[in-house]
Amino acid sequence: MIGKSTASMVVRETCVAIWDVLHPAVMAQEWLQIADQFQQSCNFPNCVRAIDGKHIRVKKPIRSGSQFFKYKKYFSFVLFAVCDANYCFRYIDVGSYGSSSDSAVFGHSAFGQMLINNDLDLPGNTTLPGTTYPAMPYVFVGDEAFALGEHMMRLYSSRGLSIARRVFNYRLTRARRVVECAFGILANKWRFLHSPIHLKLETAISAVKAACALQNFVRERDGYNFEDSLSHSLESPNQNG
């Protein structure tokens, strides 16, 4: 038998070690390689990643007030993720207040700032398959919580759509769905995410980061079961859907 404080220290240090060792190896990938994956699996060209955020439920952090209190009456922090077409996490930002929306988390993250300032070193514009003009930028895809931009695509409004716009929405939804599936695989593979995490906030954040790194490691080594992605208990931070 070991003491509670010793077990807590072991969990924390193990999670930190997993993240520090694995994430440089399993979260790096070439932009063009990812774009090819989206083209082949989702029929959506020039897409480099899909983005979204989910709530991770926790017990109330000490002296946190209402910062982590979600409007659905529980405490949480946000896991913001950027995924490739193989359901692997290529960037994560963990720990934002549960009261925050997707757009707020994205705007304050290092990734969001780099995208806004064009510091991500994205490939240059290129023509879409079957066309010779014009050259189009590489883009990320997200839901209605994210603002439309040169490198950010979202669905057309659902009212009065032409056939071409309905087809576009269908294809973008296929591409964006991969991040939803990644969250589903994550929650079903690492079952502690199905219920509130009873750890200190810092340890809970380290555990989620370790789970994301391990998911990439296991996914690249063993593949995944499609059924794992069909349901999960993680909720979107977007309050204005």
Side-chain angles (χ1 to χ4, degrees), residues 123-193:
N125 296 1
T126 185
T127 56
L128 300 179
T131 68
T132 58
Y133 180 85
M136 302 297 292
Y138 285 89
V139 298
F140 298 84
V141 293
D143 61 20
E144 66 277 0
F146 301 97
L148 184 67
E150 179 183 3
H151 297 290
M152 178 63 65
M153 298 297 293
R154 51 183 283 183
L155 299 174
Y156 283 108
S157 174
S158 59
R159 296 180 180 178
L161 293 181
S162 64
I163 293 177
R165 291 190 175 190
R166 287 202 298 268
V167 171
F168 173 86
N169 277 4
Y170 166 72
R171 291 190 179 184
L172 187 145
T173 299
R174 285 183 63 184
R176 191 186 66 80
R177 183 179 174 273
V178 301
V179 66
E180 296 283 348
C181 291
F183 286 131
I185 297 168
L186 180 74
N188 287 315
K189 178 72 73 173
W190 314 106
R191 297 303 180 100
F192 73 96
L193 295 172

Side-chain angles (χ1 to χ4, degrees), residues 54-66:
K54 292 297 176 183
H55 280 279
I56 306 296
R57 290 178 291 168
V58 293
K59 69 176 183 179
K60 183 182 184 300
I62 298 174
R63 294 186 293 276
S64 64
S66 61

Side-chain angles (χ1 to χ4, degrees), residues 20-214:
D20 289 343
V21 171
L22 284 185
H23 94 268
V26 299
M27 289 195 173
Q29 196 172 22
E30 294 292 332
W31 298 113
L32 294 178
Q33 181 182 355
I34 297 175
D36 288 341
Q37 293 170 357
F38 274 104
Q39 170 66 24
Q40 294 171 12
S41 63
C42 303
N43 201 18
F44 196 91
N46 284 31
C47 178
V48 287
R49 290 172 190 177
I51 68 175
D52 200 4
K54 292 297 176 183
H55 280 279
I56 306 296
R57 290 178 291 168
V58 293
K59 69 176 183 179
K60 183 182 184 300
I62 298 174
R63 294 186 293 276
S64 64
S66 61
Q67 292 174 323
F68 291 92
F69 188 66
K70 186 175 172 2
Y71 69 103
K72 290 190 176 180
K73 311 301 182 185
Y74 61 77
F75 292 91
S76 66
F77 59 81
V78 176
L79 164 60
F80 172 76
V82 182
C83 293
D84 66 17
N86 283 331
Y87 313 102
C88 290
F89 298 106
R90 296 306 171 186
Y91 172 86
I92 60 172
D93 183 278
V94 190
S96 295
Y97 299 140
S99 57
S100 302
S101 64
D102 274 355
S103 57
V105 175
F106 169 74
H108 289 92
S109 68
F111 174 85
Q113 291 296 312
M114 292 178 70
L115 179 59
I116 293 170
N117 296 324
N118 291 321
D119 293 332
L120 283 177
D121 195 27
L122 290 170
N125 296 1
T126 185
T127 56
L128 300 179
T131 68
T132 58
Y133 180 85
M136 302 297 292
Y138 285 89
V139 298
F140 298 84
V141 293
D143 61 20
E144 66 277 0
F146 301 97
L148 184 67
E150 179 183 3
H151 297 290
M152 178 63 65
M153 298 297 293
R154 51 183 283 183
L155 299 174
Y156 283 108
S157 174
S158 59
R159 296 180 180 178
L161 293 181
S162 64
I163 293 177
R165 291 190 175 190
R166 287 202 298 268
V167 171
F168 173 86
N169 277 4
Y170 166 72
R171 291 190 179 184
L172 187 145
T173 299
R174 285 183 63 184
R176 191 186 66 80
R177 183 179 174 273
V178 301
V179 66
E180 296 283 348
C181 291
F183 286 131
I185 297 168
L186 180 74
N188 287 315
K189 178 72 73 173
W190 314 106
R191 297 303 180 100
F192 73 96
L193 295 172
H194 279 292
S195 58
I197 303 175
H198 291 276
L199 296 170
K200 291 182 179 179
L201 180 62
E202 296 79 7
T203 305
I205 290 172
S206 294
V208 172
K209 291 168 67 176
C212 291
L214 285 170

